[in-house]
Amino acid sequence: DTAVSQTPKYLVTQMGNDKSIKCEQNLGHDTMYWYKQDSKKFLKIMFSYNNKELIINETVPNRFSPKSPDKAHLNLHINSLELGDSAVYFCASSHWGSGELFFGEGSRLTVL
Amino acid sequence: GNSVTQMEGPVTLSEEAFLTINCTYTATGYPSLFWYVQYPGEGLQLLLKATKADDKGSNKGFEATYRKETTSFHLEKGSVQVSDSAVYFCALRSGGGADGLTFGKGTHLIIQP
């Protein structure tokens, strides 16, 4: 009965490949986010969506493309992976306007 | 822009010690303030929050008071346990809608038995 679930949990791939991370929430929230956590645990917002509409798009390379097929899903596709993309990617969700975010367990991406 | 500054870690304490993790912020307007905790191998979860000046958030023995005059939101616990070992993040939200949170860099807390 996981509230925010991400797949896969671990992803090891070669430079130049394309990969996707999927996220689903069953909390009935209308807002979803992607955060990147680097090796020093620093968390930075990448994107936020409300009702499938992109709200925040921080200074993220356009190799990263989020897609929200419906309110409960927010996927992240990454093209032409680079070494610097190695990180843990967290999906989160909330009600619109709330600072209480519910996080998934994270997807650890390692680019070799 | 918004920013959150936390004390650098790791912070190592013995069980039953008193804990303080400092957090100060810079923000426009009147932000809401949060502490999130990340246990090993898990995502972040909300620990406590305060939405206006002088509010005190509390949960699981942890407390933090929103101090507008010092722009601070320090986390305290009177007697820590080994199970409190985790990374603690101070965060703020000053906008509306889907602005998300601005996080500090996190403080790794290690409690030794």
Side-chain angles (χ1 to χ4, degrees), chain B residues 28-69:
Chain B
T28 52
Y30 301 96
S32 296
L33 301 174
F34 306 84
W35 277 100
Y36 277 77
V37 59
Q38 184 179 25
Y39 298 104
E42 298 183 11
L44 281 73
Q45 52 186 279
L46 179 66
L47 181 60
L48 54 83
K49 67 179 182 182
T51 56
K52 60 183 190 298
D54 300 325
D55 267 3
K56 178 187 280 190
S58 61
N59 186 24
K60 298 182 182 180
F62 290 89
E63 291 183 341
T65 301
Y66 188 142
R67 301 280 187 211
K68 188 165 176 290
E69 62 276 11

Side-chain angles (χ1 to χ4, degrees), chain B residues 10-110:
Chain B
V11 173
T12 304
L13 295 172
S14 298
E15 210 166 15
E16 298 183 6
F18 185 86
L19 168 72
T20 301
I21 300 178
N22 290 337
C23 170
T24 57
Y25 66 89
T26 303
T28 52
Y30 301 96
S32 296
L33 301 174
F34 306 84
W35 277 100
Y36 277 77
V37 59
Q38 184 179 25
Y39 298 104
E42 298 183 11
L44 281 73
Q45 52 186 279
L46 179 66
L47 181 60
L48 54 83
K49 67 179 182 182
T51 56
K52 60 183 190 298
D54 300 325
D55 267 3
K56 178 187 280 190
S58 61
N59 186 24
K60 298 182 182 180
F62 290 89
E63 291 183 341
T65 301
Y66 188 142
R67 301 280 187 211
K68 188 165 176 290
E69 62 276 11
T70 53
T71 61
S72 65
F73 193 53
H74 304 322
L75 182 68
E76 296 183 335
K77 186 175 185 184
S79 175
V80 292
Q81 307 300 312
V82 171
S83 58
D84 294 327
S85 299
V87 181
Y88 291 81
F89 293 89
C90 186
L92 70 81
R93 182 173 172 279
S94 68
D99 273 12
L101 297 170
T102 298
F103 285 92
K105 292 190 175 182
T107 301
H108 187 192
L109 175 65
I110 300 169

Side-chain angles (χ1 to χ4, degrees), chain A:
Chain A
D1 243 31
T2 309
V4 181
S5 58
Q6 299 177 224
T7 54
K9 280 194 76 170
Y10 300 96
L11 196 48
V12 180
T13 188
Q14 299 288 328
M15 264 189 352
N17 284 350
D18 304 338
K19 290 294 177 188
S20 291
I21 306 171
K22 296 188 174 184
C23 178
E24 175 181 4
Q25 54 95 5
N26 63 5
L27 296 167
H29 291 156
D30 53 9
T31 306
M32 296 185 73
Y33 311 82
W34 278 110
Y35 278 84
K36 180 180 180 181
Q37 187 176 47
D38 64 23
S39 58
K40 295 184 178 177
K41 299 287 190 183
F42 184 56
L43 272 163
K44 189 166 166 43
I45 191 167
M46 301 173 70
F47 304 102
S48 73
Y49 269 74
N50 176 255
N51 284 323
K52 306 191 300 177
E53 185 181 333
L54 179 66
I55 303 296
I56 289 178
N57 182 353
E58 289 293 312
T59 50
V60 174
N62 58 14
R63 298 182 294 105
F64 289 78
S65 51
K67 279 193 172 52
S68 182
D70 56 56
K71 282 196 316 184
H73 295 84
L74 180 62
N75 304 323
L76 183 65
H77 187 76
I78 315 170
N79 289 327
S80 304
L81 279 157
E82 300 178 356
L83 293 176
D85 297 332
S86 296
V88 181
Y89 292 85
F90 285 99
C91 177
S93 70
S94 73
H95 289 297
W96 174 261
S98 170
E100 183 169 359
L101 274 58
F102 290 76
F103 284 80
E105 293 186 340
S107 297
R108 181 176 292 277
L109 171 65
T110 303
V111 182
L112 304 175

